Amino acid sequence: MNRLIKRLAKRRGETLAETLAALLIIALALTMLASMLTTSQNIASRSDQALRALYEQTNRLEEGTAGLLSANEGLYLTGAQGQVVRIPVQVRGLQQGIWMYETVG
């Protein structure tokens, strides 16, 4: 306890080198923080653009205006006794790999 009081009572301050080192550390920390904020904003923006594109493609498929890939196919189901049932299905899709299946009729 006595040593602590003596140490606090000293009039000796921080050296110039210690002050400059502290300022350098603070500047580096602020630079890294600004970089992280900018990067996270860019990632959020790209994610938002990709999500909007997905919604646009899904809407085009649901409206039937996609028109890129379309076919009338059949879905075949086999029962326990071997009977085969064909369900007519219309398949529409985009080249980006988004597909929509609807029953026809």
Side-chain angles (χ1 to χ4, degrees):
M1 180 80 169
N2 215 6
R3 248 192 315 169
L4 179 63
I5 293 173
K6 286 181 185 178
R7 189 170 214 180
L8 291 175
K10 288 184 183 178
R11 295 289 178 178
R12 187 167 172 244
E14 299 291 326
T15 65
L16 182 60
E18 291 171 336
T19 305
L20 290 176
L23 287 175
L24 178 65
I25 291 171
I26 291 171
L28 288 174
L30 290 176
T31 302
M32 290 189 324
L33 178 66
S35 176
M36 287 185 335
L37 291 174
T38 303
T39 301
S40 67
Q41 185 178 10
N42 289 340
I43 290 171
S45 175
R46 279 187 277 156
S47 173
D48 188 48
Q49 289 173 355
L51 194 56
R52 287 178 192 263
L54 175 67
Y55 288 155
E56 175 65 29
Q57 291 172 0
T58 304
N59 286 339
R60 286 176 47 208
L61 280 174
E62 290 175 353
E63 293 168 356
T65 59
L68 294 178
L69 303 172
S70 181
N72 289 325
E73 296 291 331
L75 177 64
Y76 295 92
L77 301 175
T78 304
Q81 277 74 30
Q83 72 273 22
V84 177
V85 178
R86 181 183 184 274
I87 301 173
V89 175
Q90 182 181 27
V91 181
R92 291 188 300 214
L94 297 174
Q95 291 174 346
Q96 288 84 2
I98 299 174
W99 297 92
M100 185 171 119
Y101 305 89
E102 294 179 320
T103 56
V104 178

